[in-house]
Amino acid sequence: MSSMANVLSTPKRVQIVAALIEGMSVRATARMVDVSKDTVGKLNLDLGEACIRYMDETLRELPCRRLQVDEAWAFVFAKAKNVKPDKQGVFGYGDVWAFTAVDAETKLIPTFLVGSRDAGCATEFMQDLAGRLANRVTLVTDGHKMYLSAVEEAFGGAIDYAQLVKIYGKAPEGPEVRYSPAECIGCERIAITGQPDPNHVSTSYIERHNLTLRMSIRRYTRLTNAHSKKLRNHTAALGLFLCFYNFCRLHQTIRCTPAMAAGVTARVWSIEDLVELLPAVEHSGGRPKKTI
């Protein structure tokens, strides 16, 4: 006798995904949809990894012309100062950084990488980004030194690259402003490679997208205890949201989805379309089995 008890219905999956991409936590989503938190976590993992595979295969030969790159901090398992001694220095425990790029014109996120904030991960990210582009691009990053070697190794001289170096004043003092950033009192535009247009040397779009990440993914919300216990779950959650952002979310500026603006798809995806990226399952009694 077949059993459907282990498989969520499509409407239930859509409910869960809709809650997660609006910034709800796993526990809150489980309470609202009336399923276990393990069920929510497994759907987030399976669908997130399916979304990552789909974007990796689809986002190729992109017509991007002006890209901005930055990295956003988060943590996995525990904050760095609370990581157990035997896990100190092990990647996936403590600080992690999400490298993302945004196209200033289409608002598309061509790729992302969760890694350490170092030249190795920056180079891996830039090489992946370079392999997805169809044209010579203008690229802007902040003044972090790791990007100098990373961009050179990935693009060589076939790029117009500039850095926006921000100048900060004294950090605010006192308990009321302990989490407040230092005031930016100026910035310097430095051409590194090629001939970048000074009017387009900015990181405003990618910094705004970092805010979108923090408001839309619970794991990236600041000053809370929301975090992933495992790096794999953290990466899947980010992949799920970025796929939704690229294919489903109407951008207010361009009045379509980034994937439509970039010519990757001709229509607005629904959350049901995202759910359909999950591999099909079949039932022969007991636990569902994935079809080959």
Side-chain angles (χ1 to χ4, degrees), residues 48-82:
E49 292 184 340
C51 288
I52 292 171
R53 289 192 297 269
Y54 182 81
M55 289 192 293
D56 182 53
E57 297 168 359
T58 306
L59 301 182
R60 301 282 178 177
E61 292 297 310
L62 299 172
C64 306
R65 296 188 300 173
R66 292 192 288 123
L67 293 169
Q68 299 177 11
V69 168
D70 198 12
E71 68 285 345
W73 172 84
F75 67 95
V76 173
F77 186 77
K79 288 189 176 180
K81 64 180 181 180
N82 297 324

Side-chain angles (χ1 to χ4, degrees), residues 141-160:
T141 69
D142 59 22
H144 204 293
K145 293 182 179 179
M146 65 182 176
Y147 288 122
L148 295 173
S149 60
V151 173
E152 175 62 27
E153 290 191 35
F155 293 92
I159 191 173
D160 298 311

Side-chain angles (χ1 to χ4, degrees), residues 58-272:
T58 306
L59 301 182
R60 301 282 178 177
E61 292 297 310
L62 299 172
C64 306
R65 296 188 300 173
R66 292 192 288 123
L67 293 169
Q68 299 177 11
V69 168
D70 198 12
E71 68 285 345
W73 172 84
F75 67 95
V76 173
F77 186 77
K79 288 189 176 180
K81 64 180 181 180
N82 297 324
V83 174
K84 298 177 181 179
D86 62 322
K87 300 296 184 183
Q88 289 284 350
V90 179
F91 178 64
Y93 295 86
D95 296 344
V96 296
W97 296 82
F99 291 82
T100 53
V102 64
D103 178 16
E105 296 176 329
T106 66
K107 315 306 179 189
L108 185 77
I109 306 297
T111 187
F112 77 98
L113 174 72
V114 177
S116 303
R117 198 186 195 193
D118 56 30
C121 288
T123 300
E124 181 181 349
F125 173 77
M126 287 296 180
Q127 289 175 337
D128 182 46
L129 177 61
R132 297 178 185 277
L133 304 175
N135 309 307
R136 182 186 180 104
V137 299
T138 296
L139 177 68
V140 182
T141 69
D142 59 22
H144 204 293
K145 293 182 179 179
M146 65 182 176
Y147 288 122
L148 295 173
S149 60
V151 173
E152 175 62 27
E153 290 191 35
F155 293 92
I159 191 173
D160 298 311
Y161 172 46
Q163 286 190 334
L164 184 72
V165 180
K166 294 183 178 179
I167 303 169
Y168 292 95
K170 186 178 180 181
E173 298 179 355
E176 306 85 13
V177 292
R178 60 180 300 187
Y179 297 111
S180 300
E183 179 183 1
C184 180
I185 59 177
C187 60
E188 183 180 4
R189 294 171 172 84
I190 303 175
I192 305 298
T193 305
Q195 296 180 325
D197 185 343
N199 294 324
H200 293 152
V201 178
S202 169
T203 56
S204 297
Y205 292 118
I206 189 63
E207 289 172 359
R208 179 59 181 84
H209 187 264
N210 287 343
L211 174 62
T212 299
L213 289 183
R214 296 202 179 281
M215 297 186 68
S216 303
I217 307 177
R218 184 63 173 166
R219 291 164 172 81
Y220 278 86
T221 303
R222 288 191 180 275
L223 304 182
T224 73
N225 61 356
H227 65 281
S228 299
K229 293 181 179 179
K230 297 180 180 179
L231 180 64
R232 184 181 174 189
N233 297 71
H234 178 91
T235 305
L238 182 57
L240 172 59
F241 174 75
L242 291 180
C243 194
F244 169 80
Y245 173 88
N246 280 334
F247 289 89
C248 304
R249 184 169 176 168
L250 290 171
H251 200 285
Q252 293 182 352
T253 302
I254 58 177
R255 299 182 182 278
C256 63
T257 67
M260 292 174 66
V264 178
T265 184
R267 64 184 179 86
V268 179
W269 281 31
S270 64
I271 296 179
E272 288 88 342

